[in-house]
Amino acid sequence: MVPRVQKVQISRRAVLAGAAAVVVAFDPVNIGWLTAADATPGIRVPGLDGELLLDDASRTAVAEDYGQIVHRKPLAVLRPGSTRDIQKIVRFANEHGLEVAMRGQGHSTYGQSQAAGVVIDSSTLSTIRRVTRTYAVVDAGVQWLDLIRTTLAAGLTPPVATDYLGLSIGGTLSVGGVGGASSHHGLLVDNVLALEVVTGRGELVRCSPTVRPDLFHAVLGGLGQFAVITRATVRLIPAATTARVYHLTYPDLGSYLAAQRTAVTDGRFSYLEGQAVPAADGWSYLLEGVEYYTPPAAPDDDGLLSGLAPAGVEITEMPYFDWLNRIYDLVQQLMALKLPGPWINLFIPDESVEQYASTVLANTTPEDAGGVVLLYPVRRELIHQPFVRLPSSPVVFLMAILRAVSPPDEAATRRLIGINREQYDQAVAVGGTQYPVNAIPLTPADWRRHYGPQWQAFRTAKRRYDPKQVLTPGQGIFE
Ligand SMILES: Cc1cc2nc3c(=O)[nH]c(=O)nc-3n(C[C@H](O)[C@H](O)[C@H](O)COP(=O)(O)OP(=O)(O)OC[C@H]3O[C@@H](n4cnc5c(N)ncnc54)[C@H](O)[C@@H]3O)c2cc1C
């Protein structure tokens, strides 16, 4: 007798939840899911503490990201109820040739958190487990916003924050995490003390600089290639209460870069960023220095501004948290518009930045830039994780064109992605690297070049920890 096999209607929500589960199976021939009683020829899906969602709405929700450019609907979405669920699904994927990607807040711009097989929605891993005087232990799906709110209640803060706090711990630790305090503390990944991960083989491993250090260093900035981060121990330092913000304006790139070099080298500000701003006759420049302090202590305005020679100065003040969270509402409004966001983020060595930035900006209209062009320095010696690729100059500039196509237009988006590719090639030619949160079409050969002397180590770690290349296909690194 031929067993009767009935496909689960894809519009129906099938839930696997431990003993109460509707048991379904996977049909590897037709690549689909099977209902309980009729699943004899199918492969049993393991029982889960959480849910495996098969309905169209759940799968569509993770088929896009912040960039609104790549759309890939997975076969299923796992909302893990435990780390064990992630292990089970990763092992299942290994056995049956499925791809898996962890999704944090989906703020990638080019499909990096998408997969055709199973997307794991990390937002259910959302517990802040412990806050001590020097570190916090936190689930990978927690947003920085929630962690910082919690640590500030104890007078503590992570040393570095990204400009936008609605990003997940796991998603940012997978790419690096740069912000205005990176000029003092390196990247987010330089401020992690330990990790709990599920490797691409489905093994649960705790690692740190002294326990399984090769895995620890591979995963930080490893673009999700070796393991799923499930929990992180992140460093905390005492927090100031107040941010005094110095906005210094410059009419030309040369004087702006000179001021940035002075400020990053002597480390006078707690936070240092800056940007190119559209002006009537091209671009002007804004250095953004911030001093964190707790009254009655007060910043020395004259000392902080000495030698920076700005054309204009504006000083404002606000609570520390308000400063860190200043763009949250704006980003929420932008996201509601679903504008394509073909971003390009590059690290340019100090010695090339003036020539590179002036050429790029001369050929960039404010419309093509989407309004925001970040251009600020970090100190290379503070950035340590091997798979975060930066030029070797002592000072390196982040140049990020955060494009938004308004109104949405496919041809315009494609044109900007083409420009991204050209600008990336020009950056590489002057010793630059990409900060990999971009919409740049890259081939595996480009990635080999990106990793350069670290490529062998990167490939070895992939073979060791994810030999079947189950994890994070959306990065497009391997053939
Ligand atoms: C508005 C906005 C502001 C930003 N500001 C900054 C900034 O100031 N500084 C900065 O450095 N970056 C910034 N970024 C970029 C951002 O840090 C990255 O895009 C980051 O990856 C997004 O985090 P996410 O939680 O949305 O991750 P996702 O986009 O969901 O995932 C990113 C990648 O990491 C993988 N991943 C996610 N979670 C895990 C996990 N737990 N384990 C293993 N792999 C995982 C995914 O599969 C994917 O490949 C910004 C992005 C946006 C949209």
Side-chain angles (χ1 to χ4, degrees):
M1 191 180 100
V2 180
R4 192 167 56 86
V5 174
Q6 180 197 348
K7 278 264 181 74
V8 169
Q9 288 301 304
I10 218 72
S11 59
R12 180 176 148 207
R13 184 169 183 236
V15 177
L16 294 177
V22 176
V23 180
V24 298
F26 179 64
D27 173 4
V29 178
N30 298 306
I31 315 291
W33 305 96
L34 307 172
T35 47
D38 310 302
T40 319
I43 297 154
R44 294 282 156 176
V45 177
L48 299 169
D49 299 321
E51 303 175 312
L52 192 67
L53 304 173
L54 311 183
D55 65 287
D56 195 56
S58 301
R59 295 183 304 122
T60 301
V62 299
E64 56 186 35
D65 56 26
Y66 185 91
Q68 301 285 332
I69 299 165
V70 176
H71 304 274
R72 191 183 295 127
K73 205 188 282 190
L75 286 172
V77 178
L78 173 68
R79 287 176 59 80
S82 62
T83 303
R84 210 170 31 241
D85 282 356
I86 296 178
Q87 283 186 273
K88 285 179 181 173
I89 287 298
V90 170
R91 285 184 184 152
F92 187 82
N94 268 277
E95 284 162 25
H96 306 299
L98 290 173
E99 295 172 339
V100 174
M102 185 79 142
R103 178 184 169 98
Q105 287 297 309
H107 281 58
S108 302
T109 58
Y110 209 45
Q112 287 92 336
S113 60
Q114 298 174 14
V118 180
V119 168
I120 305 173
D121 171 3
S122 77
S123 67
T124 54
L125 301 178
S126 59
T127 305
I128 298 168
R129 295 186 177 267
R130 192 172 346 145
V131 175
T132 76
R133 298 301 303 166
T134 53
Y135 64 85
V137 182
V138 60
D139 283 359
V142 169
Q143 295 180 34
W144 287 99
L145 178 66
D146 296 320
L147 177 61
I148 290 172
R149 274 204 181 108
T150 302
T151 62
L152 281 182
L156 301 165
T157 181
V160 184
T162 48
D163 294 342
Y164 170 61
L165 300 183
L167 306 169
S168 75
I169 305 281
T172 46
L173 295 186
S174 298
V175 297
V178 60
S182 291
S183 52
H184 282 283
H185 300 287
L187 306 186
L188 292 179
V189 288
D190 298 303
N191 292 280
V192 178
L193 304 177
L195 293 172
E196 178 194 87
V197 303
V198 172
T199 69
R201 293 176 183 268
E203 300 155 332
L204 181 68
V205 182
R206 292 187 182 82
C207 54
S208 72
T210 52
V211 178
R212 305 284 299 267
D214 69 310
L215 181 59
F216 178 76
H217 293 296
V219 168
L220 291 171
L223 303 182
Q225 292 305 303
F226 316 109
V228 171
I229 301 169
T230 52
R231 204 174 285 180
T233 304
V234 299
R235 201 159 78 84
L236 298 177
I237 58 173
T241 60
T242 312
R244 185 171 291 183
V245 182
Y246 301 83
H247 277 165
L248 313 185
T249 48
Y250 297 84
D252 65 282
L253 183 61
S255 59
Y256 170 75
L257 292 175
Q260 283 283 17
R261 285 184 191 110
T262 302
V264 77
T265 304
D266 64 23
R268 63 180 69 192
F269 293 113
S270 316
Y271 165 112
L272 181 64
E273 288 201 8
Q275 43 186 283
V277 182
D281 53 350
W283 296 88
S284 64
Y285 302 89
L286 176 72
L287 184 152
E288 198 169 49
V290 182
E291 188 65 358
Y292 298 143
Y293 75 102
T294 301
D300 167 12
D301 292 346
D302 291 341
L304 285 167
L305 298 179
S306 86
L308 298 184
V313 179
E314 189 187 292
I315 303 176
T316 52
E317 206 162 84
M318 64 189 79
Y320 175 75
F321 177 77
D322 291 1
W323 169 252
L324 292 191
N325 201 32
R326 66 200 175 281
I327 66 167
Y328 188 86
D329 291 343
L330 177 69
V331 173
Q332 298 303 307
Q333 287 162 21
L334 268 175
M335 278 165 56
L337 300 175
K338 291 185 174 274
L339 301 179
W343 284 19
I344 177 166
N345 291 247
L346 302 164
F347 287 116
I348 308 293
D350 188 12
E351 57 274 19
S352 314
V353 70
E354 186 159 358
Q355 178 245 319
Y356 180 81
S358 59
T359 307
V360 166
L361 289 171
N363 294 305
T364 302
T365 63
E367 293 72 35
D368 280 0
V372 182
V373 180
L374 298 176
L375 182 62
Y376 65 84
V378 292
R379 281 168 52 207
R380 181 69 185 84
E381 65 183 341
L382 301 175
I383 298 169
H384 300 298
Q385 299 306 337
F387 294 155
V388 175
R389 303 299 298 150
L390 262 74
S392 55
S393 314
V395 171
V396 171
F397 279 78
L398 174 75
M399 182 163 181
I401 308 183
L402 309 182
R403 308 182 197 276
V405 182
S406 177
D409 180 292
E410 212 180 310
T413 305
R414 266 202 309 275
R415 182 179 69 80
L416 291 171
I417 291 171
I419 291 174
N420 283 355
R421 177 67 219 202
E422 286 166 20
Q423 291 179 350
Y424 169 66
D425 288 335
Q426 289 156 7
V428 171
V430 299
T433 58
Q434 59 140 342
Y435 177 48
V437 297
N438 297 311
I440 306 175
L442 295 174
T443 64
D446 291 321
W447 282 105
R448 285 198 291 280
R449 185 174 58 167
H450 172 74
Y451 285 107
Q454 289 294 338
W455 172 249
Q456 286 301 338
F458 197 87
R459 196 175 54 178
T460 301
K462 186 71 172 175
R463 286 182 179 153
R464 182 163 185 199
Y465 292 112
D466 183 26
K468 294 197 175 169
Q469 300 190 10
V470 163
L471 294 181
T472 325
Q475 298 283 2
I477 297 173
F478 292 94
E479 306 280 358

